Amino acid sequence: MAQQDSKKIFFENLSGAGKAIAVLTSGGDAQGMNAAVRAVVRMGLYVGAKVYFIHEGYQGMVDGGDNIREATWESVSSMLQVGGTVIGSARCKDFRSHEGRLKAAHNLVQRGITNLCVIGGDGSLTGANLFREEWSGLLTELVEQGLIEADAVQKYTALHIVGMVGSIDNDFCGTDMTIGTDSALHRIIEVVDAIMTTAQSHQRTFVLEVMGRHCGYLALVSALACGADWVLIPEMPPEDGWEEKMCEKLSATRSRGTRLNIIIVAEGAIDRHGKPITSGIVKDLVVKNLGFDTRVTILGHVQRGGTPSAFDRILASRMGVEAVLALLETTANTPACVVSLCGNQSVRVPLMECVQTTQEVQKAMDQKRFEEAVKLRGRSFENNLRTYKLLAHRKPESELPVSNFNVAVLNVGAPAAGMNAAVRSAVRVGISEGHKMFAVSDGFEGFYKGQIKEIKWGDVGGWTGQGGSLLGTKRTLPAKHVDKIAEQMRKHNINALLVIGGFEALECLLQLYEARGTFEEFCIPMCMLPATISNNVPGTDLTIGADTALNAIVETCDRIKQSASGTKRRVFIIETMGGYCGYLATVGGLAAGADAAYIYEEPFDIRDLQANVEHLTEKMKTSIQRGLVLRNENSNVNYTTDFIYQLYTEEGRGVFDCRKNVLGHMQQGGAPSPFDRNFGTKISAKAMQWLSQKLVETYRKGRVFANAEDSCCLLGMHARALVFQPVVQLKDHTDFVHRIPKEQWWLKLRPLMKILAKYKTSYDVSDSGQVEHVIHSRPKDSDASVAM
């Protein structure tokens, strides 16, 4: 309790009383900007600051007048699901001139604004930093011109800047992910999935051109997510003679029975001599050299539009709150910073360090130092490129190493979107490492029944976009059948095991680890990849499949809320899956703008329910028309979804009515999101490389023998890094009765959700306030990125 009180005091010390914060969006628009604006406004109001919208970006700041308006709590309602930016964005020539910045300073001083939150790209943030550096000189000029009083220079002595990067291209160094990138990937993958069906029907080749004039991130990650045959990006132009190599690759793919080819081209793609490679050029090459029926699709501004993804809403909300905290903590000597994402953590990095690194990338590309440009983009970009090369380009049999190791891969537990992408990655990386890969159908049930067969490179083609589990999956644990499983391992000479699944997969590996004392067949390297929509596996912040489920929840909540538009005031009670884990309810609630989320990890009683009803009633009496309440399926045995629905219906009588919806298994179905495709692909590739290393280390006297703790691991995302953790060490961190980790990082997001829903609560700021340098913001061995 004392610790909680100390955090409250710390938070109160950050009071924004008497401060004025302005938020603007500048440059190109990006999905998720509205979520960031909403978070800045509501967090600013929460701490007692005045918050202003600056409409039309820097142009609005220069023009002043009605372009700068005070924001209220209600003015950011119903913004989360809207793409683009509702406060407008514009590219402003006037602000680039000294005279323009002088007008902007005058407009801000008139309203007492000395705190700016800028959401934009590197150009917008560079302009903000210049404005900050000139601030005192601009005020002096305004005094000399008689436009402001002399004491204003002392009163508004410094301008404080905090940036958030809104850009679909993910072209800003210093953050793993920019606001809008994930949503743009959703648009691209939706188009690719649709195109693949028609391409397969007609045996066509499709050339897709995606945005990315200076950065190939969208092209690279979408190629990884859909298993494209070829990708062309500006950071890594193809070697001379690429035309013949590409055509050979396409021809070889067709000869193995594939009915389609996908080539993805970034709009800024070039060859080694700086000559542009357009989608038209690529099409003409394919038609001329191969005679394939080829079509071009240019996605254009479709990538900028549409509803923001769950990831972008959560990212933008976290960044918006962090930006306000940064503004409250800043002093006259604090450099302008950017709130960025490193792994799964929010960090602050000096704005100009980020800008300079971003400019160095372009300089390296201009000077044809392409390998350096890739490294400057960051470890996430570098690893995406390495993984794509590993999976897309099959080496001839003669060039493959020969390891003589047999590796089995299987799925365990409930199906989760992204499992198939993980299996594909494991099979292809394993074959590239020289192993013979075996697929086990129906989990450990299929294992003891002998449903094991060799799986080849071509067998997993097109698997990345498939939902569910193509291998089949069961919840059966191995304990009762270890003798039969050991027999099958002997029969097939299995030397390593990759298990992809949820909580049951962890239990399976623990049982196999314990069986090592009885059966030497289990003394082999074993690795688990966490895959479950519930995100309830210890040892990892995120699991494969959870992002797809979150998007299903958020999309449904959007539709449900929209169904009430134009009707009387209404509250929706939504039940989510997750077992005893409240991740989906909490994070889904944050992304959908929920008023409350009931979960097992945070016990609640009738008084809490009553307080929530009264809170909603008060909001409904103002301008709020719709309310949203999420309930995790096992949050409370007595306070069921029906009970909460009936309570809200009765207590809200005369003010609002209620509807309920149980989302059920729709959360488990559907095509995997870009995040889950890439997360599954990347961690599976890393796991296979780890297994290869362990096989070599433990091979002695003609056999593999591994019985150490660190030869049976879970590979998970922990804060900023992908970490291999011995499963036996995770036992102490696990609540086996409720099948959840004892500590869960996302519980820190619950106060954020409550604040944005207008509840008074304490907010843990213990992780805030640290500015890190760009070069030090990632651990040396980390290739992790929740950004894919």
Side-chain angles (χ1 to χ4, degrees):
M1 189 70 180
Q3 185 184 11
Q4 188 180 15
D5 288 343
S6 70
K7 286 175 182 174
K8 282 184 183 179
I9 291 167
F10 182 37
F11 188 79
E12 285 163 6
N13 287 340
L14 295 176
S15 169
K19 293 196 174 184
I21 299 171
V23 57
L24 71 147
T25 54
S26 177
D29 63 307
Q31 308 97 317
M33 279 183 165
N34 290 323
V37 170
R38 172 180 177 267
V40 169
V41 169
R42 292 195 167 176
M43 191 64 177
L45 294 173
Y46 181 82
V47 298
K50 271 189 173 184
V51 186
Y52 291 86
F53 291 135
I54 299 179
H55 291 265
E56 312 307 332
Y58 285 118
Q59 192 65 56
M61 194 192 296
V62 172
D63 295 342
D66 288 341
N67 288 306
I68 305 176
R69 300 178 212 160
E70 191 170 350
T72 65
W73 195 274
E74 289 73 23
S75 61
V76 291
S77 296
S78 303
M79 281 176 63
L80 266 174
Q81 68 272 25
V82 181
T85 165
V86 298
I87 60 173
S89 183
R91 303 188 189 278
C92 178
K93 288 184 179 178
D94 292 340
F95 191 75
R96 294 177 186 174
S97 68
H98 182 80
E99 188 59 36
R101 293 192 291 277
L102 191 65
K103 288 180 182 177
H106 185 216
N107 289 325
L108 294 187
V109 169
Q110 283 182 313
R111 294 163 178 81
I113 299 168
T114 56
N115 296 279
L116 270 186
C117 184
V118 181
I119 308 167
D122 61 335
S124 302
L125 298 177
T126 303
N129 190 65
L130 176 63
F131 191 38
R132 170 184 167 274
E133 290 173 346
E134 291 182 348
W135 180 256
S136 59
L138 293 171
L139 294 198
T140 302
E141 281 188 58
L142 291 171
V143 171
E144 290 170 355
Q145 293 178 18
L147 294 172
I148 61 173
E149 299 295 328
D151 61 353
V153 177
Q154 297 300 320
K155 189 176 180 181
Y156 306 117
T157 178
L159 178 68
H160 306 299
I161 302 285
V162 172
M164 285 183 277
V165 190
S167 166
I168 68 164
D169 293 328
N170 203 33
D171 57 353
F172 192 81
C173 298
T175 184
D176 286 342
M177 200 71 158
T178 58
I179 296 168
T181 303
D182 187 67
S183 299
L185 285 169
H186 272 257
R187 301 295 92 77
I188 295 169
I189 295 305
E190 286 165 10
V191 172
V192 172
D193 285 351
I195 276 175
M196 288 179 88
T197 56
T198 184
Q200 198 159 30
S201 300
H202 296 277
Q203 297 193 60
R204 280 182 179 148
T205 295
F206 267 88
V207 182
L208 272 80
E209 183 180 302
V210 301
M211 283 185 166
R213 195 173 299 126
H214 304 293
C215 178
Y217 184 89
L218 288 178
L220 176 58
V221 175
S222 55
L224 200 55
C226 72
D229 297 283
W230 203 269
V231 65
L232 294 157
I233 59 173
E235 290 88 347
M236 188 52 66
E239 300 288 346
D240 290 345
W242 65 271
E243 298 91 343
E244 290 76 18
K245 288 180 182 177
M246 182 186 74
C247 290
E248 285 172 12
K249 166 82 188 299
L250 300 180
S251 183
T253 305
R254 287 290 179 96
S255 67
R256 290 193 294 268
T258 303
R259 292 177 58 86
L260 77 156
N261 300 109
I262 300 290
I263 302 165
I264 296 183
V265 183
E267 63 179 332
I270 53 172
D271 65 16
R272 288 273 157 177
H273 308 287
K275 184 182 175 184
I277 302 174
T278 66
S279 51
I281 289 172
V282 175
K283 176 197 170 181
D284 293 342
L285 267 170
V286 175
V287 172
K288 180 183 175 184
N289 292 0
L290 300 173
F292 290 172
D293 186 3
T294 307
R295 299 286 190 274
V296 171
T297 298
I298 299 173
L299 270 65
H301 283 74
V302 165
Q303 296 156 88
R304 283 197 188 279
T307 301
S309 66
F311 183 98
D312 271 329
R313 299 185 198 195
I314 296 157
L315 174 67
S317 297
R318 289 174 69 180
M319 283 185 167
V321 168
E322 183 70 21
V324 172
L325 294 177
L327 284 172
L328 295 181
E329 292 173 0
T330 193
T331 65
N333 298 321
T334 307
C337 72
V338 174
V339 177
S340 67
L341 186 74
C342 182
N344 192 33
Q345 286 189 331
S346 294
V347 296
R348 302 174 194 171
V349 287
L351 188 155
M352 289 315 295
E353 280 189 21
C354 297
V355 170
Q356 285 160 12
T357 307
T358 304
Q359 290 171 348
E360 284 172 20
V361 175
Q362 190 59 49
K363 190 184 294 182
M365 287 162 60
D366 291 341
Q367 296 173 359
K368 297 183 172 57
R369 293 180 283 115
F370 298 112
E371 288 78 8
E372 186 179 338
V374 169
K375 287 181 180 177
L376 286 168
R377 279 276 181 234
R379 294 195 68 88
S380 174
F381 190 95
E382 204 175 351
N383 283 299
N384 279 323
L385 186 57
R386 189 185 306 122
T387 306
Y388 175 78
K389 287 178 178 178
L390 201 59
L391 297 173
H393 301 293
R394 182 182 184 182
K395 292 180 180 177
E397 297 285 339
S398 58
E399 293 182 21
L400 290 174
V402 180
S403 71
N404 295 318
F405 293 126
N406 295 343
V407 181
V409 57
L410 68 160
N411 295 334
V412 174
M419 276 182 164
N420 297 321
V423 172
R424 170 185 176 268
S425 178
V427 168
R428 293 197 168 180
V429 173
I431 291 171
S432 296
E433 299 271 320
H435 309 319
K436 188 179 283 188
M437 299 299 298
F438 287 85
V440 182
S441 300
D442 298 334
F444 281 102
E445 186 173 313
F447 212 132
Y448 80 79
K449 290 179 179 178
Q451 296 172 358
I452 305 166
K453 64 178 183 179
E454 187 178 354
I455 187 166
K456 299 291 186 70
W457 186 283
D459 296 336
V460 291
W463 278 35
T464 50
Q466 299 292 317
S469 167
L470 293 173
L471 285 184
T473 181
K474 294 284 179 69
R475 295 180 183 271
T476 306
L477 300 181
K480 293 181 181 178
H481 310 284
V482 284
D483 53 339
K484 293 179 181 177
I485 294 170
E487 183 184 330
Q488 291 295 333
M489 293 187 78
R490 278 195 306 274
K491 180 180 176 181
H492 295 278
N493 189 29
I494 302 300
N495 308 119
L497 204 58
L498 181 66
V499 181
I500 303 166
F503 200 89
E504 290 91 352
L506 175 65
E507 293 178 305
C508 289
L509 252 64
L510 284 168
Q511 290 179 3
L512 294 182
Y513 178 82
E514 289 165 5
R516 280 177 167 179
T518 310
F519 298 94
E520 284 194 0
E521 288 80 3
F522 301 122
C523 292
I524 59 173
M526 294 185 278
C527 186
M528 172 194 163
L529 300 181
T532 168
I533 69 166
S534 302
N535 199 34
N536 64 330
V537 179
T540 185
D541 289 353
L542 298 164
T543 58
I544 300 166
D547 184 72
T548 304
L550 272 179
N551 278 287
I553 291 167
V554 170
E555 287 169 17
T556 306
C557 287
D558 286 351
R559 292 183 183 186
I560 286 171
K561 288 199 295 183
Q562 190 181 49
S563 72
S565 61
T567 66
K568 60 183 179 179
R569 296 180 177 94
R570 183 165 288 168
V571 174
F572 296 94
I573 315 295
I574 311 292
E575 182 184 299
T576 66
M577 292 175 90
Y580 285 96
C581 180
Y583 175 82
L584 291 178
T586 296
V587 183
L590 177 61
D595 296 278
Y598 300 116
I599 62 171
Y600 166 78
E601 293 91 341
E602 192 174 281
F604 58 96
D605 56 25
I606 195 67
R607 290 181 293 274
D608 297 311
L609 291 169
Q610 184 62 35
N612 293 151
V613 173
E614 290 172 0
H615 181 79
L616 257 175
T617 303
E618 285 302 309
K619 286 172 72 173
M620 288 287 181
K621 286 177 179 176
T622 57
S623 61
I624 305 297
Q625 297 294 316
R626 289 158 290 179
L628 183 66
V629 174
L630 270 62
R631 177 188 175 273
N632 166 246
E633 59 185 347
N634 289 344
S635 56
N636 189 292
V637 69
N638 294 312
Y639 299 135
T640 63
T641 302
D642 280 338
F643 177 90
I644 292 173
Y645 162 69
Q646 290 167 6
L647 175 71
Y648 272 72
T649 300
E650 181 61 31
E651 296 299 315
R653 195 181 300 277
V655 181
F656 60 80
D657 66 359
C658 281
R659 295 289 185 272
K660 67 175 177 178
N661 195 301
V662 178
L663 300 184
H665 282 76
M666 65 162 291
Q667 297 158 84
Q668 215 160 25
S673 67
F675 181 97
D676 279 328
R677 298 183 195 202
N678 288 297
F679 187 45
T681 297
K682 285 167 68 174
I683 68 168
S684 187
K686 189 173 179 69
M688 281 306 304
Q689 290 170 329
W690 179 84
L691 284 173
S692 296
Q693 181 185 336
K694 287 292 179 186
L695 283 166
V696 172
E697 289 174 2
T698 58
Y699 185 73
R700 298 287 184 276
K701 298 179 180 178
R703 59 173 291 197
V704 173
F705 186 82
N707 64 349
E709 284 185 2
D710 66 355
S711 64
C712 183
C713 286
L714 176 147
L715 173 57
M717 159 71 73
H718 183 64
R720 304 190 189 188
L722 288 173
V723 182
F724 289 95
Q725 298 169 82
V727 292
V728 70
Q729 293 180 13
L730 293 174
K731 289 171 72 173
D732 293 338
H733 303 282
T734 306
D735 175 352
F736 283 96
V737 175
H738 298 101
R739 298 159 60 87
I740 55 174
K742 290 180 179 176
E743 291 186 9
Q744 303 188 85
W745 69 271
W746 52 264
L747 287 169
K748 287 185 176 182
L749 298 180
R750 286 189 63 77
L752 192 156
M753 183 191 73
K754 291 176 182 177
I755 288 169
L756 298 180
K758 213 175 183 178
Y759 285 91
K760 281 293 178 186
T761 184
S762 60
Y763 184 65
D764 182 354
V765 293
S766 57
D767 292 336
S768 299
Q770 299 167 0
V771 176
E772 302 183 7
H773 294 289
V774 175
I775 56 171
H776 298 138
S777 61
R778 290 163 180 76
K780 190 176 180 182
D781 61 345
S782 169
D783 58 2
S785 170
V786 292
M788 299 163 285

